[in-house]
């Protein structure tokens, strides 16, 4: 994991800071851009550190980090043409993606690929051909998704699969009702936080991977015309989750953690804060309802439930990259492949 970590550290820390509304000094932001540029592979995509091989997870982290910085310098780091060719190089004939050349397949990769492709406007129809069908095959009898077809449902994979389906506009292909039942049952009735899978322990990071599914499901069911949906609350106990994060997941010296007794780290800091933000903010724009447990200074900025960066940064990146044309994939040179327009209004509700 350590080899994949340095790009992730940039994202976890920058996203934590944006949720806390703590500005990043210009010179530090520029240093991060220069560092991430060194993590970019000559053949496209990003690695966990300079000189390492490209991998979809740090590619997702690096693109998110650069979009949070949101300057021309940051956007210019991303070689979109090579990124597209990296994405094609990890695409499998059945619609899935391997995490890196010669690596393992699991549903995280579909989310990482869909996230970076949609943010940077390099989506082409063949890139995600058969991907929705493959993702649906990861949903099992429990209602959640496993990493690959046949595996136990887990919050991390369920978030990735569902968010990828939202990006691809195919969330209706999932069984949304059994998914809702599965995720709602993962909130622990004593602790108030979420477990990652049935019969396992609560962990602060699932405050995002699990609770973050509720905005996605709310929007998907809203699109289907479900008139029983609340216009004020997500379908989990927002107050209980905030209490678990604030009271059980804080290190008194700063930083957040899995559960009491564990040490703090940047991953748990990022995802505990992200989950706290989801639990504090319902909806967006005209339909926005806040529930802040404790003092007003506990309030975090809202986060985009698909990309998990602040919504203004998503809008700004989409606006920037949509001025640029979609590169023609190298192996498709000369073909007249049409582009998918991901538009700027793909998430009008959440
Ligand atoms: C189980 O760990 C955890 C996994 C098998 C993977 C979880 C996946 C994610 C958190 C998603 C990652 C997302 C991206 C975008 C790369 P465990 O057995 O230690 O924990 P558990 O007891 O809580 O299940
Ligand atoms: Zn955790």
């Amino acid at each position: 994991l350590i080899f994949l970590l340095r790009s992730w550290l940039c994202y976890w820390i920058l996203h934590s800071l944006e949720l806390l509304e703590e500005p990043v000094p210009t010179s530090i932001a520029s240093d991060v851009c220069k560092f991430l540029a060194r993590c970019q592979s000559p053949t496209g995509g990003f690695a966990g550190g300079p000189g390492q091989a490209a991998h979809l997870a740090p590619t997702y982290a690096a693109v998110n980090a650069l979009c949070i910085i949101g300057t021309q310098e940051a956007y210019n780091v991303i070689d979109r043409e090579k990124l597209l060719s990296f994405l094609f190089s990890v695409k499998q004939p059945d619609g899935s993606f391997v995490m890196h050349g010669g690596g393992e397949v699991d549903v995280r990769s579909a989310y990482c690929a869909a996230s970076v492709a949609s943010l940077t406007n390099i989506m082409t129809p063949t890139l995600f051909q058969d991907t929705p069908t493959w993702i649906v095959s990861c949903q099992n009898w429990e209602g959640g998704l496993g990493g690959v077809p046949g595996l136990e449902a887990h919050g991390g994979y369920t978030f990735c699969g569902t968010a990828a389906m939202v990006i691809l506009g195919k969330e209706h292909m999932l069984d949304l009702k059994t998914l809702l039942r599965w995720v709602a049952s993962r909130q622990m009735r004593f602790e108030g936080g979420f477990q990652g899978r049935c019969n396992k322990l609560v962990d602060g990071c699932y405050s995002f991977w699990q609770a973050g599914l509720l905005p996605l499901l709310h929007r998907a069911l809203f699109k289907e015309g479900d008139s029983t949906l609340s216009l004020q609350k997500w379908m989990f106990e927002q107050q209980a989750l905030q209490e678990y994060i604030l009271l059980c997941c804080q290190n008194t010296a700063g930083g957040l953690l899995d559960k009491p007794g564990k040490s703090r780290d940047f991953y748990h800091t990022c995802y505990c804060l992200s989950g706290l933000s989801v639990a504090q903010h319902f909806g967006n724009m005209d339909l926005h309802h806040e529930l802040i447990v404790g003092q007003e200074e506990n309030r975090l900025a809202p986060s985009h439930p698909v990309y998990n960066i602040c919504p203004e940064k998503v809008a700004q990146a989409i606006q920037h990259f949509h001025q640029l044309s979609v590169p023609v994939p190298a192996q498709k040179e000369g073909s007249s492949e049409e582009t998918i327009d991901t538009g700027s209004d793909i998430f009008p509700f959440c």
Side-chain angles (χ1 to χ4, degrees):
L1 187 67
I2 194 78
F3 295 110
L4 299 175
L5 212 58
R6 295 181 72 192
S7 309
W8 274 111
L9 284 171
C10 296
Y11 164 63
W12 293 331
I13 294 170
L14 285 170
H15 183 51
S16 299
L17 290 172
E18 64 168 354
L19 288 171
L20 293 164
E21 297 182 287
E22 191 63 33
V24 176
T26 318
S27 67
I28 293 186
S30 176
D31 286 348
V32 175
C33 293
K34 293 187 183 84
F35 172 72
L36 290 173
R38 292 173 55 221
C39 296
Q40 189 164 217
S41 160
T43 50
F46 291 80
Q52 299 167 17
H55 186 292
L56 275 171
T59 297
Y60 163 83
V63 170
N64 264 5
L66 291 164
C67 290
I68 293 171
I69 294 171
T71 56
Q72 288 297 322
E73 182 186 15
Y75 294 146
N76 288 342
V77 168
I78 304 169
D79 185 331
R80 296 164 61 247
E81 210 161 312
K82 287 190 177 154
L83 178 57
L84 182 59
S85 108
F86 170 63
L87 295 181
F88 269 112
S89 76
V90 282
K91 175 79 192 290
Q92 303 301 295
D94 65 356
S96 66
F97 289 80
V98 285
M99 292 299 292
H100 59 100
E104 73 283 16
V105 166
D106 68 59
V107 75
R108 289 172 305 159
S109 56
Y111 169 59
C112 293
S115 176
V116 301
S118 58
L119 279 174
T120 63
N121 186 30
I122 57 171
M123 288 264 204
T124 78
T126 53
L127 183 57
F128 293 101
Q129 192 169 345
D130 296 327
T131 304
T133 313
W134 186 83
I135 294 173
V136 166
S137 73
C138 295
Q139 184 170 26
N140 71 13
W141 56 271
E142 297 177 84
L145 279 71
V148 294
L151 282 198
E152 181 183 13
H154 191 286
Y157 299 118
T158 304
F159 177 85
C160 289
T162 308
M165 291 296 265
V166 170
I167 295 172
L168 301 174
K170 301 286 183 200
E171 61 273 39
H172 58 271
M173 287 171 63
L174 290 164
D175 185 333
L176 298 171
K177 288 284 163 67
T178 60
L179 179 47
L180 174 60
R181 194 178 122 102
W182 177 81
V183 64
S185 310
R186 303 282 72 75
Q187 186 168 22
M188 313 289 277
R189 60 179 69 225
F190 178 70
E191 297 91 333
F194 281 77
Q195 62 185 180
R197 43 185 161 149
C198 192
N199 284 325
K200 299 276 320 218
L201 299 178
V202 68
D203 178 342
C205 64
Y206 300 128
S207 306
F208 179 75
W209 301 118
Q210 298 284 32
L213 281 161
L214 279 308
L216 304 180
L217 283 169
H218 217 96
R219 175 179 173 276
L221 293 166
F222 186 80
K223 266 173 74 178
E224 288 192 346
D226 189 329
S227 59
T228 62
L229 289 166
S230 167
L231 297 180
Q232 295 200 332
K233 295 188 296 185
W234 303 128
M235 288 178 276
F236 70 97
E237 278 298 333
Q238 293 169 236
Q239 176 147 348
L241 180 61
Q242 292 185 46
E243 286 170 359
Y244 177 68
I245 298 168
L246 292 167
L247 300 173
C248 304
C249 296
Q250 293 199 76
N251 180 307
T252 47
L256 291 100
L257 35 97
D258 163 349
K259 58 176 68 61
K262 298 271 183 174
S263 48
R264 59 187 171 170
D265 62 71
F266 291 110
Y267 165 82
H268 285 94
T269 299
C270 169
Y271 290 105
C272 285
L273 290 176
S274 303
L276 183 58
S277 169
V278 170
Q280 289 178 341
H281 301 276
F282 172 85
N284 79 345
M285 296 186 291
D286 297 341
L287 190 60
H288 187 201
H289 194 82
E290 288 186 9
L291 173 75
I292 314 290
V293 170
Q295 306 155 2
E296 184 56 27
E297 69 176 26
N298 289 346
R299 183 188 182 279
L300 299 177
S303 193
H304 193 295
V306 170
Y307 298 101
N308 201 23
I309 64 181
C310 286
E312 314 80 70
K313 297 302 173 75
V314 174
Q316 196 190 310
I318 287 178
Q319 195 185 16
H320 172 83
F321 289 113
H322 272 255
Q323 295 160 6
L324 310 175
S325 60
V326 180
V328 177
Q331 61 267 59
K332 303 269 176 230
E333 208 101 51
S335 82
S336 58
E337 189 177 41
E338 279 177 32
T339 60
I340 293 180
D341 182 10
T342 52
S344 51
D345 67 339
I346 34 179
F347 312 111
F349 183 59
C350 57

